[in-house]
Amino acid sequence: MADNRTITLQVNGKRRSGTTETRTHLGDFLRDELGLTGTHLGCEHGACGACTVLVDDEALRSCLMLAVQAQGTSITTIEGLSDGAELSAVQQAFREHHGLQCGFCTPGMVISLTAFLKKEPNPTERSIREAISGNICRCTGYQAIVKAGLKAASVLREEP
Amino acid sequence: MADRYFGESVERREDPRLLTGHGNYVADIKLAGMAHAVFVRSPYAHAHIAGFDCSAAEGVPGVYTVLTLAGLGEKYADKRMAETYPAPNIKQAIRQYPLAKDEVCYAGEPVALVVAESRAIAEDAAALVDIDYTPLPAMVDCAVALEAQAPRAHASSPDNIVAQLHNCYGDTDKAFTDAAHVFKRRFRQHRGGCHAVECRGVLAKDDPYGDGLTVWSSTQSPYLVRRVLARHLEEDESRLRVIAPDVGGGFGPKAGVYAEEIVIALAARILEMPVKWIEDRREHFTATNQQGDQVWQIEVAANEAGKMLGLRGHIIADNGAYVPYGLRLPFSTTIPLPGPYSLPALDVRMDVVFTNTTANSPVRGAGRPNAAFAMERAIEAIARGLNLDPAAVRATNFVSVDQFPFQSGNKAPTGALITYDSGDFHGCLDKALLLADYAGFKERQAAARRDGRYLGIGMSSCVEDTGRGPFEGATIRVQPSGKVLLQTGAAGQGQGHQTVFSQIAADELGIDIDQVEYRSADTGMFPHGIATVGSRVAVNAGNAVSKAASQVRDKALQLAASLLQADTADLELVDGMVCIKSSAEARLALADLAARLNPIVGGELPLGMEPGLEATAYTDPQGSATASGTNVAEVEVDIGTGEVRLIKYSVAHDCGRIINPLLVNGQIEGGVVHGIGNALFERMHYDADGQPLSTNYGEYLLPLATEMPPIEIVHQETPSPLNPLGVKGAGEGGTIPAAAAIVTAIENALEPWGIIIDDYPVDPQTICALLDAAGSDSAHAAR
């Protein structure tokens, strides 16, 4: 017999609620119950980082968290980073530097870097590589992503 | 045509939606009434199946059906999947049944399908499907597959031979008899699997009284999938629509046709509801085709100056359990020999053998990295054996710039002579060595050794046959709004097709790139296509776009000329307008011309013109556009831990005329990192019973950001004379030489111990073991 709960949480600034089995992970809940398919599932064993979302401003792997654990939290997914058509500094930097090819690892990559740059406004190439060492990309070889990270950091430092 | 966009690093049109989470991958698609499917797969590498008991699984609440081969329908009960690439030298073209019949031949082979209201319920039920297996001896190591007592990968087969290939030209016997020097090398090559971050997936919906079956698949080859589905289901292709939506990386293994595509389509038909299957990452390790091992022995004959006179070799190539992909991988291994070198005589035999592992598929580079590795081993053996500079040996042996078009001597399976259309291999070598500061390396290495550190440098050169036919196509249609619709059969997995083809179309039509609307990879929208493989799409579809756009341009000018009472020679296309040159007055918008050619209400078609400001064009490339390059890897080896640190990686790359440098660099960087994975990290482990031992990313290592070196690139452009745009493919050139360059660099670092590496990927344990074995010879110790 399935064990269902109704949970309520903030997602991208909006109050959302939904019903979930207790065994369902957060990634599946966001995608299937809330229709936010921007968060991708690459491995479901916490290795690839594609499913990374912000939970109370911390970058976490949504495949390693049960949906019910997100009760009462505030979540930001990739859909919540841009302001209408205006891309965030990290997203814009990815575009300029060709930091994405197939786009599948990208939401997790962008979220991870967004969280990192909030903590570390003056990153080095090395510290960016370490920050994304938990995000697997098979397309880019990472170099363009690192460049995008450095560019985004410099743009964010300029902002008032 | 004015080159406003061609050659520019235009930002991608694909990016805004992908960056904001609005991609549309198979897993994202939701259809009303959709059911979810999970495959039951063989836990044994080789077993006989006596029977199936699905009753417990069927009894789970929420399960709609459990299907085995018999349940797919009587028409399919004895039907193996179609041969996609038949070849006369395939001795045993054994393909799998979409669901196993009475024998399973690899761990992971699909045996049954559970369809339920949710994936979780389907997974619960899948665990309850009871199959009566009797394990059989498993054939695992391809190196012993030809031995008389080797287990048969297929129980009723006389042997494990898929095919035996023989490529030879010139007189190798004489070459070896006359040669001053003969060098031998044996090595094993392992290239791992796909590991796109998006696993595979199939969604099917049947509309039997309407348009028939629609199948969404994470595939590189929608038209091939349609063709094979049509054959298997005995349906007309017009009743089958295959769509590749956004695909999260392909790299080769998503280019074949899979059992899952047939089974999910049939399940949707049987259940009369849409059915979705998304591959689980653990499944991916055995369910998705991967490149099998190759065991090589070569000997090379050389003269005193280090010039190669002949090369002989024998390869055992692991085909895996089935032949879904013909001999594509074997051919792409032997035909690229002898690489960028002018070799007078070649004699290479390849035994392609069955094993009880997942079927073989090309993985980025296909067999070309294997061929490049072999040639570079030969070159390095000569350099080492004759104490010559490896760069000099390459220069001595390269095809020279005045020899193009150059016939290598080798032949395609059709018998056609392999021809390199253009290139400057010496130029790439020089550029790469300069970029890598090769001249300064000896000093860097010496200084490091004084500090007890071991640096090494390795180079590797390659050719790549790109842009092969038969064709791709494009339709360009100017809409009444003025937007330009670009439709093509080409399928993308992140290469930036939309951007690159929009650049070409926008240049030809004199419009802003944002005026182009792009549609692709849908057999219901564009009639014919082939596949995105072998770095062929830019050459094929790029030229088709250019051709179609120039036909539209001609038609627009022709109509405008009659309306403006001018000569076409006096007209130009600027910003979506046809204008009389040097006159601001007389102008006609493309939108207006399009409307005139499509007069729905009233009006008449201009005399002698066909409706629509549009054109469809296909390309028919002759031969292949030869890309080439040299890579140089500089490494440091820690002799205490065996760790290899990549210091710098330099690439000189020639893909003809570059459409978008930003995107080409991305392909090269990504390709190099894939090659680094091959050299140092990616190994799929099986035990002696064919059990996969590395089925997660803790055990199968993918390249991560922290271990990657700076990758520097210098471009050389030798335009291809074989296509109007002069372009060549760029998708695999970073990967092809990479493993060879890195392995050579490691050997160079460990030269004091005389270590030769004969297997890759090279892990720290292997380096430590090699050092331990060599350590007894203290005459070679450093300092």
Side-chain angles (χ1 to χ4, degrees), chain A residues 23 31-32 38 40 42-45 78 82 91 95-96 98 101-104 126 129 138-139 141-143, chain B residues 11-12 19 21 25 27-28 30 119 124 193-194 251 281 493-494 666-667 670 674 682 696-697 703 705 711:
Chain A
R23 63 171 169 170
R31 290 175 51 80
D32 298 338
H40 299 148
C43 75
E44 291 181 297
H45 60 276
I78 185 73
S82 45
Q91 288 166 319
R95 186 162 191 214
E96 279 167 29
H98 192 33
Q101 292 184 22
C102 81
F104 200 79
R126 188 73 216 156
R129 283 184 182 271
R138 190 50 150 171
C139 291
Y142 306 104
Q143 189 154 288
Chain B
E11 284 179 3
R12 297 198 329 168
L19 279 166
Y25 305 86
D28 301 339
K30 265 200 189 106
R119 189 172 153 216
D124 290 342
C194 172
F251 311 112
R281 181 57 65 178
Q493 306 85 45
Q667 290 302 306
H674 198 137
E682 297 182 46
N696 61 57
Y697 290 137
I711 300 167

Side-chain angles (χ1 to χ4, degrees), chain B residues 114-146:
Chain B
V114 178
V115 188
E117 67 188 39
S118 76
R119 189 172 153 216
I121 290 172
E123 286 182 1
D124 290 342
L128 300 175
V129 175
D130 191 7
I131 298 164
D132 187 1
Y133 291 111
T134 305
L136 296 170
M139 177 64 247
V140 184
D141 182 359
C142 66
V144 300
L146 296 171

Side-chain angles (χ1 to χ4, degrees), chain B residues 340-550:
Chain B
Y341 305 107
S342 177
L343 178 73
L346 177 84
D347 190 335
V348 174
R349 291 182 183 275
M350 180 191 265
D351 293 312
V352 185
V353 300
F354 284 112
T355 62
N356 290 117
T357 61
T358 309
N360 219 355
S361 164
V363 173
R364 196 164 192 169
R368 298 173 194 80
N370 303 79
F373 191 86
M375 291 312 303
E376 298 307 278
R377 291 280 86 192
I379 294 285
E380 287 297 320
I382 292 170
R384 197 175 264 244
L386 299 182
N387 203 26
L388 296 169
D389 183 334
V393 178
R394 284 177 175 79
T396 299
N397 283 282
F398 275 157
V399 173
S400 73
V401 82
D402 55 359
Q403 288 182 285
F404 292 100
F406 179 77
Q407 288 177 343
S408 70
N410 212 341
K411 289 200 183 91
T414 54
L417 287 166
I418 300 300
T419 306
Y420 303 159
D421 75 338
S422 56
D424 179 359
F425 304 150
H426 292 89
C428 266
L429 177 67
D430 291 342
K431 290 179 171 73
L433 295 179
L434 194 62
L435 191 59
D437 187 15
Y438 182 65
F441 177 74
K442 274 274 180 306
E443 179 46 46
R444 292 199 289 285
Q445 186 181 52
R449 283 201 195 155
R450 289 193 288 273
D451 279 342
R453 293 166 48 231
Y454 296 88
L455 300 187
I457 200 160
M459 67 191 75
S460 169
S461 304
C462 73
V463 290
E464 186 191 354
D465 53 302
T466 72
R468 70 168 184 271
F471 62 83
E472 289 293 342
T475 294
I476 301 267
R477 177 180 301 124
V478 181
Q479 302 285 79
S481 65
K483 292 264 189 205
V484 174
L485 181 62
L486 193 178
Q487 296 171 313
T488 177
Q493 306 85 45
Q495 299 90 333
H497 292 166
Q498 174 177 358
T499 301
V500 162
F501 301 150
S502 298
Q503 288 176 244
I504 294 169
D507 273 346
E508 191 64 46
L509 295 173
I511 58 173
D512 191 274
I513 195 173
D514 285 324
Q515 288 293 101
V516 181
E517 292 283 327
Y518 182 78
R519 300 279 183 279
S520 70
D522 177 350
T523 67
M525 173 273 303
F526 192 83
H528 305 296
I530 301 296
T532 298
V533 293
S535 305
R536 63 180 296 274
V537 171
V539 172
N540 281 275
N543 279 282
V545 169
S546 176
K547 195 168 157 188
S550 84

